[in-house]
Amino acid sequence: MALSREQIAQRVAQELQDGYYVNLGIGIPTLVANYIPEGMEVMLQSENGLLGMGQFPTEDELDADLINAGKQTVTMATGASIFDSAESFAMIRGGHVDLTVLGAFEVDVNGNIASYMIPGKLIKGMGGAMDLVAGADNIIVTMTHASKHGVSKLLSNCTLPLTGKGCIKKVLTDLAFIEIKDGKFHLLERAPGISVDEIVKLTEGELVVTGDIPEMKL
Amino acid sequence: MAGFDKVVSSYEEAMAGLTDNMTVVAGGFGLCGIPENLIAEIKRKGTKGLTLVSNNCGVDDFGLGILLPDRQIKKIIASYVGENAEFERQMMAGELDVELTPQGTLAEKMRAGGAGIPAFFTATGYGTPVAEGKEERQFKGRDYILEESIVGDFAIVKAWKADRYGNLVFRKTARNFNPMAATAGKVTVVEVEEIVEPGELDPDQIHTAGIYVDRLILGNFEKRIEQRTVRKA
């Protein structure tokens, strides 16, 4: 079975390490915060100027001056810090964030990512996504492997305008965990019950399959 | 006003000198930490043809969105827009010029502008539509694009607390773009929730020094929440 949104988040959470500073994008990446392993300390960076994002507030804690990058009201975790937007992006662009997780429409074998703009449709903007993909070294893209109509989103060349060029090395889809290197996709793991053939069929860009591909453990 | 006292007593006085076709740099992220009363004053004045530099453009009836119905904004430089219907209509009809700018680049454009740096190289946006028409250069084998900084005719800023000299303290994530905006205006106008006497703020805890501030006004704030998200107690 293809992974649910929660299961994608669960698998991404396995990539966390104790002491990591992490930036989670809007959508599935946000769910990763629900699966931080017991006993592990992870600090969440919100690019509007908060390091150490806490859970959502209770009615009593609600504060209009404290929001996340998705403009939702939040709280601060113990040891949090607040800074301005230039400082926030100095952290991001300076490569100080240990792990960035964000969504995409398409990725390709050269590590290009398209995630903010579909020509002809309403363009809302890239927000901080271009800074995140250009600034971070360790990025995981979460996305569905193919459209509802079976059109692959893992391509030899992105068709949509790019968010970043040559910056993506890891992609977790609802079907597979994939590494990008040497201009090719490399299959690392498959979703439970999904065959290598199914993944190959839905991957338009060149996919290297070496040996037995293990199932993800969730 | 005398000496370093920046306090003005009316919003009319606060925004005096703003005229058609000027560039205004604004603080705020979504509806958090926006100079809501200064924006309302721009609407009241009816100033037109403005270029706005702001991370977002408010919602239909709050924040910068209220400047849309009377077509007061000619161009907006922002990282994320479209949270309101009138904005979408004007953008699709080609009535509003939108320059989408990555959030970190936008913050740095304001910071650099305020610091007298005309342009800077960044990897952000290289190889994307943002890079079109911009100079590219390699440093240590990596590709960068040249981005020009921004200085506005006016900067409008929301801070939490100030002393009469314009030393500012921000509160929580309402800080966001405000400190950079404060440096990036030829005339910087700040509205705050509380004004104290000089000496009452701890100099070590001041976020923005009064040197950047030209006018200061005490306001009342609605502080509307865009995405009210709560958990059960």
Side-chain angles (χ1 to χ4, degrees), chain A residues 38-69:
Chain A
E38 195 79 25
M40 185 182 281
E41 288 199 301
V42 167
M43 229 184 240
L44 301 177
Q45 204 257 15
S46 186
E47 64 260 30
N48 56 316
L50 168 61
L51 186 60
M53 182 166 49
Q55 52 189 342
F56 293 126
T58 61
E59 282 290 343
D60 288 347
E61 293 169 334
L62 196 70
D63 185 341
D65 286 340
L66 188 54
I67 63 168
N68 64 17

Side-chain angles (χ1 to χ4, degrees), chain B residues 6 9 16 27 37 43 48 58 78-79 95 107 128 152 164 175 200 208:
Chain B
K6 310 288 173 71
S9 51
N37 301 296
K43 181 173 177 66
K48 287 197 164 53
S79 88
E95 297 168 1
T128 77
R164 300 182 72 90
R175 190 183 318 186
E200 287 186 40
T208 291

Side-chain angles (χ1 to χ4, degrees), chain B residues 26-186:
Chain B
F29 184 95
L31 301 180
C32 183
I34 57 171
E36 53 182 86
N37 301 296
L38 295 171
I39 296 167
E41 173 60 17
I42 296 174
K43 181 173 177 66
R44 194 199 62 79
K45 278 172 79 87
T47 318
K48 287 197 164 53
L50 296 173
T51 295
L52 256 301
V53 185
S54 167
N55 191 54
N56 314 93
C57 196
V59 295
D60 271 324
D61 61 344
F62 198 65
L64 291 174
I66 66 170
L67 303 181
L68 292 166
D70 297 334
R71 305 280 312 278
Q72 291 176 268
I73 305 175
K74 178 181 66 185
K75 178 177 178 178
I76 180 149
I77 301 173
S79 88
Y80 193 83
V81 292
E83 296 295 348
N84 56 61
E86 179 59 16
F87 187 97
E88 190 175 333
R89 192 198 66 73
Q90 289 189 16
M91 183 165 91
M92 290 310 207
E95 297 168 1
L96 179 64
D97 187 6
V98 181
E99 187 176 316
L100 289 174
T101 303
Q103 199 176 131
T105 295
L106 186 63
E108 194 64 15
K109 277 172 177 268
M110 291 184 195
R111 197 198 69 79
I117 297 165
F120 54 92
F121 281 101
T122 177
T124 300
Y126 172 78
T128 77
V130 166
E132 277 164 28
K134 290 174 186 162
E135 187 184 330
E136 295 177 357
R137 199 188 293 184
Q138 274 199 351
F139 295 92
K140 294 177 182 167
R142 217 181 151 195
D143 296 299
Y144 297 83
I145 59 172
L146 188 66
E147 291 279 6
E148 290 186 21
S149 65
I150 293 174
V151 176
D153 297 297
F154 270 74
I156 54 175
V157 168
K158 159 71 176 47
W160 176 46
K161 229 179 188 184
D163 65 21
R164 300 182 72 90
Y165 289 181
N167 291 309
L168 308 179
V169 178
F170 301 93
R171 185 173 178 274
K172 299 184 177 170
T173 57
R175 190 183 318 186
N176 57 60
F177 282 83
N178 280 297
M180 284 82 66
T183 68
K186 287 176 194 155

